[in-house]
Amino acid sequence: RGTAYYQLIIVNADGGNPVVFTDPTESAVFPRWSKDGLRIFYDVVGSGMAYRDISGMGHGTLAGVSGVDLSFSPDGNRFITTGLRMVDRNLHLEASFDVRGEEPSWSNDGNWIVFRRTDAAGFGRLFVVRADGTDEYQITASSFGDLTPVFRLL
């Protein structure tokens, strides 16, 4: 028995022309297209975030960054991941907020990020923080925990 690996396969909208897009020796999970559609970001099990240009020419990894909960800013120039690490469009780590957080989501105007943090009892609580890492506020305190925040301005 060999080791099974998860692969990313790109296909046409009609299901035709399948192309294996990732290295066959790594497990690629949680894929996300960049806003401009030119890159795919994904998590490599046990290694962290990786990316590939759709042309197949550019690829690499981002050390210390997880691709599990990747969220692009509304303008597509930055993204934020689990652990609230922000990366710019040139793939440089721009900021690593001094907060624990999972499942980040940007506000429509790009000024705020909502995220979940698990408390000592194991319950998820929702928080918001400005995109520059300041002004963090807890916004929920339910008795059963909260999951999967999505920011929408009303």
Side-chain angles (χ1 to χ4, degrees):
R1 289 183 174 214
T3 302
Y5 295 101
Y6 296 102
Q7 297 295 297
L8 299 183
I9 300 172
I10 298 176
V11 297
N12 293 342
D14 65 3
N17 195 31
V19 175
V20 176
F21 198 64
T22 50
D23 185 326
T25 64
E26 63 188 22
S27 282
V29 294
F30 306 111
R32 297 280 198 283
W33 286 97
S34 62
K35 289 257 186 183
D36 61 10
L38 299 177
R39 286 188 174 136
I40 296 178
F41 293 85
Y42 54 95
D43 202 66
V44 177
V45 175
S47 296
M49 183 186 289
Y51 66 90
R52 287 193 181 266
D53 292 341
I54 195 67
S55 67
M57 299 300 290
H59 60 86
T61 59
L62 299 169
V65 178
S66 169
V68 174
D69 292 321
L70 179 71
S71 178
F72 284 93
S73 63
D75 63 9
N77 287 327
R78 300 179 290 175
F79 62 84
I80 194 159
T81 67
T82 295
L84 300 189
R85 289 176 176 83
M86 192 175 307
V87 179
D88 69 19
R89 85 177 290 113
N90 296 316
L91 305 178
H92 298 115
L93 185 62
E94 185 176 298
S96 186
F97 299 157
D98 189 25
V99 295
R100 292 176 298 111
E102 304 158 333
E103 301 185 70
S105 176
W106 291 82
S107 64
N108 296 343
D109 62 8
N111 292 325
W112 292 89
I113 298 164
V114 64
F115 62 95
R116 180 177 57 85
R117 179 182 297 151
T118 304
D119 66 16
F123 295 109
R125 305 292 181 219
L126 302 187
F127 292 77
V128 292
V129 64
R130 287 190 185 278
D132 66 3
T134 62
D135 296 331
E136 177 186 324
Y137 304 101
Q138 182 173 345
I139 58 173
T140 65
S142 65
S143 60
F144 52 85
D146 303 292
L147 299 170
T148 317
V150 176
F151 206 124
R152 294 290 180 248
L153 295 176
L154 301 176

